């Protein structure tokens, strides 16, 4: 890349002084040279050419590893005079830096360590890329746009990254088949051999997600987000006993969720700098990981801690490797080019290296997505990466991480009509950039994108030239090259939920009614809409329910699209050319449900088909209003008949479905106060766990109640 940049600079100098950056104009060069210190002048004197034979074969074909040591600067003779000035100014034209610990450029104020082990850029093949330089320039320009609204011509700033020559071959097909056997324990790394149990509901089978409540089938682990305590409960045939607790309130650390892995508990959260409370300074936040030995439930022991830049964003765990995502922003008034700690994130005290940094182009994002992989058994990091991208949606398949960003038009200061997507593989903890693409519109959530048999399928809502909403389905290959597309579906509507099930995609769009679409993807090059079903309301969450059935949880609405209350739908999808809504259940008493805010709150027991979630009864406070009676004249009598005006607050519901009797409510137990705020918090902080023949309803900070699943009578409770 250095040769190309040198040629570009030569052309600019030869043809037009107007295109030369201000720092290179003759009137500014002398002043800059005079201000250089002795170390900078000495560094310039060491510049030399790199013989071609020193370029390793690994760097030519995209292999990852390369020997460490000081990097050297390529200075073509053709533009020696001009480029030497640029190199001396540190403007990155053919210039990279030695970041060994003893380097003159080591960070001073941040006191972070930069790993001297050098890897070739994961975003290029044989050419050097100064991503530090790109990050610095991007953040400086971002600051200008925010504070001064100065327009920058990004066509003159090459933030784009070359694709790797040989993308790693995906193993999606074999892993997808293997993951089918992991569905019952997705999110669990240990399992009781005596009794089956439900675990955290996750997006991808075999890819665990953290939550505030966890179980291993013998113990239940609760994290109280309010008092910052971990509680450990033993459970046996409905009996509950608290075994121990840990006060994890440390300085300004606020934990969020956890994993259970063998005899280890991994807790994740954010350190809010103490100055935040007075200055609203988010830039010093750090993500904190604490690993506890819980082999003795009465006396858990903290065995290790790690940190990384930014506020905790999300995480996943696969085969004992923890992948942590954090959002890191910097104080844009304190950017210092030679002080890398002012604009480069770190993981466990080591700055993310130049070659593990990526600056996305044509987006509006001032925060890095910092990704780390941690071997939990060894309590040691495997890899790390930081990307100025990933501000919209993150999806983690069994093989890859996908990050998306809505595009931004810097010339008009407005968001564009496309989304950019990056693909990053994470096999065995090694993070590797693979490819990128873009598509019109935006994703509803991470259920709207799926990877299967080396193909990436997604459904998106976009606007055409007349600004009319449409929806589309795209299929990409493993290199994110477009294979096929179906466009202009459901005019004027937006996607509200999606579920990819093998070779079939199901998704719901909504404006005033709820069309459920079915698309056959068995031939990726020729996807086919097989059927669609229009019904009142819409499903905001879809879940596979046994053979040939799809459960929808969403809202009942009127003819104008006004949301009334929670609605359950069971779809018969045995024949993709003739999908049907077999049964519905309108929960008139409940206006919100935890599963619609957080998939982890959904309980599904594959042993008997029962499912559960918490819901909040907020009340029809306008029930007696004349306008309401007039608007709902046809439904009013039904609403009055089924509505319990005395029901307020949070409740936990367990339901079942069968072909004969349809939906049945098996349990409807109050778990929260009548107050709206308390009820909302109780709804979101409660989980249901089935172990054997008992369901344990666990509320963060509120203890546990157990019920016999034969009659759902209360068996035991423990604070």
């Amino acid at each position: 890349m250095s040769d190309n940049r040198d040629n570009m600079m030569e052309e600019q100098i030869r043809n037009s002084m107007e295109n030369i950056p201000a720092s290179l104009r003759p009137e500014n060069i002398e002043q800059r040279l005079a201000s250089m210190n002795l170390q900078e002048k000495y560094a310039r004197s060491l510049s030399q050419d790199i013989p071609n034979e020193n370029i390793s074969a690994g760097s030519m074909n995209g292999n990852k590893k390369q020997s460490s040591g000081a990097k050297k600067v390529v200075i073509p003779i053709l533009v020696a005079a001009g480029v030497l000035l640029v190199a001396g100014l540190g403007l990155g034209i053919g210039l990279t830096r030695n970041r060994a610990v003893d380097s003159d450029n080591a960070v001073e104020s941040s006191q972070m360590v930069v790993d001297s082990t050098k890897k070739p850029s994961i975003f290029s093949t044989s050419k050097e890329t100064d991503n530090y330089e790109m990050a610095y320039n991007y953040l400086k320009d971002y600051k200008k746009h925010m504070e001064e609204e100065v327009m920058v011509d990004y066509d003159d700033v090459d933030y784009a990254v070359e694709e790797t020559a040989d993308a790693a071959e995906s193993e999606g097909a074999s892993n997808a088949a293997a993951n089918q056997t992991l569905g019952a324990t997705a999110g669990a790394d240990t399992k009781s051999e005596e009794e089956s149990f439900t675990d955290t509901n996750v997006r991808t089978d075999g890819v665990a997600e953290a939550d505030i409540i966890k179980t291993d089938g013998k113990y239940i682990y609760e994290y109280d987000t309010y008092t910052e305590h971990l509680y450990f409960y033993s459970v046996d045939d409905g009996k509950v006993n608290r075994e121990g607790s840990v006060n994890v309130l440390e300085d300004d650390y606020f934990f969020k969720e956890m994993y259970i892995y063998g005899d280890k508990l991994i807790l994740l959260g954010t350190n809010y700098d103490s100055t935040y409370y007075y200055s609203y300074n988010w830039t010093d936040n750090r993500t904190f990981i604490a690993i506890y030995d819980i082999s003795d439930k009465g006396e858990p022991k903290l065995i290790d801690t790690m940190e990384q830049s930014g506020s905790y964003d999300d995480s996943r765990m696969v085969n004992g490797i923890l992948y942590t995502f954090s959002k890191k922003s910097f104080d844009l008034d304190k950017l210092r080019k030679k002080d890398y700690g002012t604009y480069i994130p770190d993981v466990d005290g080591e700055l993310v290296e130049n070659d593990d940094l990526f600056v996305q182009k044509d987006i509006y994002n001032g925060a890095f997505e910092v990704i780390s992989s941690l071997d939990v058994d060894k309590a040691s990091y495997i890899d790390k990466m930081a990307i100025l991208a990933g501000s919209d949606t993150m999806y983690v398949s069994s093989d890859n991480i996908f990050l998306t960003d809505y595009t931004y038009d810097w010339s008009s200061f407005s968001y564009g009509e496309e989304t950019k997507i990056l693909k990053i593989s994470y096999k065995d903890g090694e993070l590797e950039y693979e490819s990128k693409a873009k598509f019109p519109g935006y994703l509803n959530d991470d259920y709207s994108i799926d990877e299967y048999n080396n193909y990436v399928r997604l459904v998106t809502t976009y606007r055409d030239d007349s600004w009319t909403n449409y929806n589309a389905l795209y299929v990409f290959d493993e290199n994110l090259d477009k294979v096929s597309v179906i466009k202009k579906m459901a005019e004027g509507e937006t996607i509200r939920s999606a579920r990819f099930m093998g070779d079939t995609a199901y998704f719901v769009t909504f404006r005033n009614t709820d069309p459920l679409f079915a698309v056959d993807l068995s031939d990726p090059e020729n996807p086919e809409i097989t059927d669609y079903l229009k019904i009142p309301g819409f499903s905001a969450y879809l879940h596979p329910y046994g053979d040939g059935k799809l459960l929808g949880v969403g809202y009942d609405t009127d003819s104008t699209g006004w949301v009334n209350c929670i609605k359950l739908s069971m779809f018969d999808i045995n024949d993709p050319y003739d999908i049907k809504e077999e049964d519905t259940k309108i929960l008139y008493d409940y206006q919100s449900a935890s599963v619609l805010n957080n998939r982890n709150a959904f309980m599904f027991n594959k042993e008997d088909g029962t499912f559960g979630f918490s819901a909040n009864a907020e009340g029809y406070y306008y029930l007696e209003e004349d306008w309401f009676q007039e608007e709902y004249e046809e439904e009013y009598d039904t609403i009055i008949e089924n509505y319990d005006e005395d029901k307020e607050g949070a409740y936990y519901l367990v339901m079942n479905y069968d072909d004969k009797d349809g939906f049945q409510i098996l349990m409807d137990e109050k778990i929260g106060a009548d107050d709206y705020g308390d009820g909302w918090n109780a709804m979101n902080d409660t989980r249901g766990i089935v172990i054997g023949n008992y369901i344990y309803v666990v509320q963060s900070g509120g203890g546990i109640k157990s019920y016999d699943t034969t009659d759902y009578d209360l068996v035991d409770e423990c604070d």
Side-chain angles (χ1 to χ4, degrees):
M1 185 173 290
S2 59
D3 290 339
N4 291 338
R5 290 186 176 181
D6 294 340
N7 293 335
M8 289 174 59
M9 180 56 69
E10 179 193 27
E11 189 69 19
Q12 289 178 348
I13 294 174
R14 179 186 300 139
N15 296 327
S16 175
M17 288 294 291
E18 294 180 356
N19 292 330
I20 300 178
S23 59
L24 288 183
R25 293 181 179 276
E27 61 267 26
N28 295 328
I29 290 177
E30 289 187 7
Q31 180 180 355
R32 178 67 185 93
L33 288 174
S35 67
M36 293 177 68
N37 59 36
L38 186 61
Q39 290 180 333
E40 290 175 316
K41 292 179 179 179
Y42 177 72
R44 288 182 62 236
S45 70
L46 298 180
S47 298
Q48 56 183 300
D49 291 339
I50 301 178
N52 289 334
E53 59 265 27
N54 288 346
I55 301 177
S56 67
S59 66
M60 294 297 291
N61 61 22
N63 291 342
K64 186 171 184 182
K65 301 301 179 183
Q66 179 177 317
S67 61
S68 61
K71 294 181 185 177
K72 301 179 181 180
V73 184
V74 178
I75 308 294
I77 297 175
L78 185 61
V79 289
V83 177
L84 277 172
L85 287 175
V86 178
L89 294 174
L91 292 177
I93 301 176
L95 176 64
T96 53
R97 56 177 66 81
N98 173 18
R99 297 190 314 281
V101 176
D102 59 352
S103 169
D104 291 334
N105 290 337
V107 179
E108 297 176 1
S109 63
S110 63
Q111 295 183 345
M112 296 297 178
V113 178
V114 182
D115 190 352
S116 62
T117 302
K118 183 67 190 73
K119 298 182 294 183
S121 174
I122 58 176
F123 306 119
S124 62
T125 52
S126 62
K127 297 177 181 179
E128 298 286 355
T129 302
D130 193 342
N131 297 313
Y132 275 24
E133 180 90 11
M134 293 181 185
Y136 177 79
N137 289 338
Y138 178 93
L139 292 175
K140 291 287 286 186
D141 289 337
Y142 180 82
K143 178 176 182 292
K144 290 179 183 178
H145 279 280
M146 289 183 63
E147 298 181 354
E148 303 172 12
E149 296 186 352
V150 174
M151 301 177 74
V152 175
D153 185 359
Y154 276 83
D155 289 335
D156 290 338
V157 184
D158 185 13
Y159 291 142
V161 173
E162 296 187 18
E163 306 288 353
T164 51
D166 298 316
E169 184 175 354
S170 171
E171 298 175 355
S174 59
N175 285 338
N179 285 333
Q180 296 300 317
T181 63
L182 300 173
T185 58
D189 291 279
T190 60
K191 181 175 180 179
S192 167
E193 297 180 356
E194 299 175 357
E195 293 181 308
S196 63
F197 62 93
T198 60
D199 200 5
T200 303
N201 185 41
V202 299
R203 166 63 183 88
T204 305
D205 287 347
V207 179
E209 298 181 21
D211 199 10
I212 55 175
I213 310 294
K214 286 288 185 178
T215 187
D216 56 15
K218 294 181 179 179
Y219 294 89
I220 291 177
Y221 308 86
E222 170 204 340
Y223 174 58
D224 184 346
T225 57
Y226 300 100
T227 67
E228 294 283 308
H229 278 72
L230 282 168
Y231 294 105
F232 306 83
Y233 301 88
S234 61
V235 292
D236 184 21
D237 288 338
K239 298 297 181 182
V240 185
N241 184 58
R242 184 194 286 182
E243 299 293 337
S245 65
V246 176
N247 183 352
V248 295
L249 182 60
E250 261 189 56
D251 301 324
D252 297 313
Y253 284 96
F254 291 88
F255 293 100
K256 185 176 180 181
E257 49 195 11
M258 61 181 167
Y259 292 90
I260 302 298
Y261 176 68
D263 285 330
K264 293 183 177 65
L265 183 148
I266 303 97
L267 197 60
L268 303 102
T270 299
N271 167 270
Y272 295 99
D273 184 79
S274 59
T275 60
Y276 159 73
Y277 295 102
Y278 307 101
S279 64
Y280 299 96
N281 178 20
W282 291 88
T283 60
D284 293 329
N285 293 351
R286 296 186 65 78
T287 291
F288 190 77
I289 303 171
I291 302 178
Y292 287 86
D293 181 344
I294 56 172
S295 53
D296 183 347
K297 302 300 186 291
E299 295 185 8
K301 296 179 181 178
L302 179 64
I303 58 177
D304 224 322
T305 61
M306 292 85 164
E307 295 184 28
Q308 67 186 53
S309 292
S311 300
Y312 176 69
D313 186 18
D314 213 333
S315 63
R316 297 291 187 270
M317 182 180 283
V318 181
N319 298 327
I321 298 176
L322 174 67
Y323 300 88
T324 304
F325 302 81
S326 59
K327 295 284 189 186
K328 173 58 179 175
S329 57
F330 288 91
D331 187 337
L332 301 180
D333 291 325
K334 296 181 180 179
L335 300 181
R336 300 292 182 270
K337 192 168 188 178
K338 295 296 183 180
D339 187 353
Y340 307 138
T342 64
Y343 62 96
I344 303 298
D346 76 274
V347 173
D348 210 32
E350 293 186 354
L351 295 183
V352 174
E353 291 199 37
N354 179 79
D355 300 314
D356 293 329
L357 204 72
F358 178 44
V359 181
Q360 178 76 292
K361 183 182 179 182
D362 296 335
I363 63 171
Y364 193 73
N365 182 14
F368 286 93
E369 188 74 41
V370 184
I371 310 174
S372 67
S373 57
L374 173 71
D375 186 321
V376 174
D377 285 323
K378 298 178 181 178
S380 63
Y381 282 99
I382 301 171
D383 208 351
K384 55 184 177 289
M385 177 184 291
I387 305 172
L388 270 168
S391 59
D392 293 332
T393 302
M394 180 187 75
Y395 160 58
V396 182
S397 72
S398 58
D399 297 291
N400 299 292
I401 298 164
F402 297 86
L403 301 174
T404 72
D405 291 88
Y406 214 36
T407 58
Y408 189 79
D409 186 345
W410 292 92
S411 62
S412 63
F413 299 100
S414 62
Y415 285 97
E417 296 296 324
E418 292 183 316
T419 291
K420 292 200 165 188
I421 181 171
L422 295 177
K423 176 183 175 182
I424 301 163
S425 64
Y426 65 86
K427 185 176 182 181
D428 298 327
E430 296 290 340
L431 302 169
E432 294 283 356
Y433 168 82
E434 296 291 340
S435 51
K436 62 183 178 180
K438 61 182 179 180
F439 55 86
Y442 62 91
L443 301 178
N444 179 55
D445 57 22
D446 63 344
Y447 282 103
S448 293
I449 178 173
D450 184 76
E451 185 177 31
Y452 181 73
N453 285 349
N454 294 333
Y455 287 96
V456 176
R457 302 88 58 86
L458 58 88
V459 286
T460 174
T461 297
Y462 70 97
R463 294 185 299 189
D464 67 358
D465 294 338
S466 64
W467 287 53
T468 300
N469 271 359
Y470 287 101
N471 303 277
L473 181 144
Y474 281 83
V475 179
F476 297 92
D477 64 16
E478 62 183 335
N479 298 315
L480 292 186
D481 291 326
K482 186 173 70 174
V483 174
S484 59
V485 61
I486 302 176
K487 301 180 73 173
K488 290 204 168 184
M489 294 185 288
E491 178 181 352
E493 302 187 354
T494 59
I495 291 172
R496 296 302 181 93
S497 62
R499 197 82 189 208
F500 289 85
M501 299 167 61
D503 285 327
T504 307
Y506 300 94
F507 58 94
V508 169
T509 63
F510 178 73
R511 181 174 59 184
N512 295 330
T513 56
D514 173 2
L516 171 66
F517 285 83
V519 180
D520 181 1
L521 296 167
S522 57
D523 181 357
E525 296 183 0
N526 297 285
E528 176 189 6
I529 299 175
T530 56
D531 198 9
Y532 70 94
L533 177 68
K534 284 202 170 189
I535 53 178
F538 66 92
S539 297
Y541 176 75
L542 299 173
H543 195 91
Y545 191 88
D547 293 335
K549 287 185 172 53
L550 182 65
L551 170 66
V553 182
Y555 299 99
D556 178 53
T557 64
D558 64 18
S559 58
T560 67
W562 179 274
V563 172
N564 293 326
C565 52
I566 301 301
K567 174 187 175 183
L568 307 177
S569 297
M570 187 61 74
F571 299 103
D572 180 348
I573 56 173
N574 280 288
D575 183 355
Y577 289 88
D578 186 22
I579 55 178
K580 300 171 183 170
E581 186 180 39
E582 275 192 355
D583 190 33
T584 63
K585 180 75 173 180
I586 300 176
L587 306 178
Y588 289 98
D589 295 329
Y590 301 104
Q591 285 73 48
S592 54
S594 58
V595 62
L596 303 181
N597 305 317
N598 183 355
R599 60 169 166 259
N600 298 150
F602 185 75
M603 182 279 293
F604 179 69
N605 185 8
K606 71 168 189 174
E607 300 293 327
D608 59 10
T610 56
F611 61 95
F613 52 81
S614 48
N616 199 33
E618 301 166 18
Y620 281 102
Y621 58 89
Y622 39 75
L623 197 62
E624 302 301 328
E625 298 288 339
D626 291 340
W627 68 266
F628 184 81
Q629 297 182 34
E630 293 175 2
E631 180 70 30
Y632 296 96
E633 182 177 358
E634 296 182 2
E635 304 102 327
Y636 188 75
D637 291 341
T638 302
I639 293 174
I640 293 296
E641 181 181 348
N642 291 276
Y643 172 66
D644 182 356
E645 61 182 4
D646 295 326
K647 181 170 283 190
E648 290 186 61
Y651 289 75
Y652 195 83
L653 309 178
V654 177
M655 288 146 287
N656 196 9
Y657 179 84
D658 64 48
D659 294 335
K660 179 180 179 182
D661 298 321
F663 287 104
Q664 305 165 61
I665 298 179
L666 306 177
M667 176 178 165
D668 186 0
E669 291 292 326
K670 190 165 187 176
I671 56 174
D674 292 347
D675 178 77
Y676 173 79
D678 290 340
W680 182 267
N681 291 333
M683 176 188 74
N684 288 321
D685 292 343
T686 299
R687 303 288 185 267
I689 297 172
V690 176
I691 302 176
N693 297 319
Y694 301 88
I695 182 170
Y696 301 84
V697 178
V698 190
Q699 183 181 348
S700 175
I704 300 179
K705 292 183 178 180
S706 64
Y707 302 83
D708 190 324
T709 56
T710 58
D711 51 22
Y712 289 91
D713 288 337
L714 180 66
V715 175
D716 197 8
E717 55 185 308
C718 183
D719 293 331

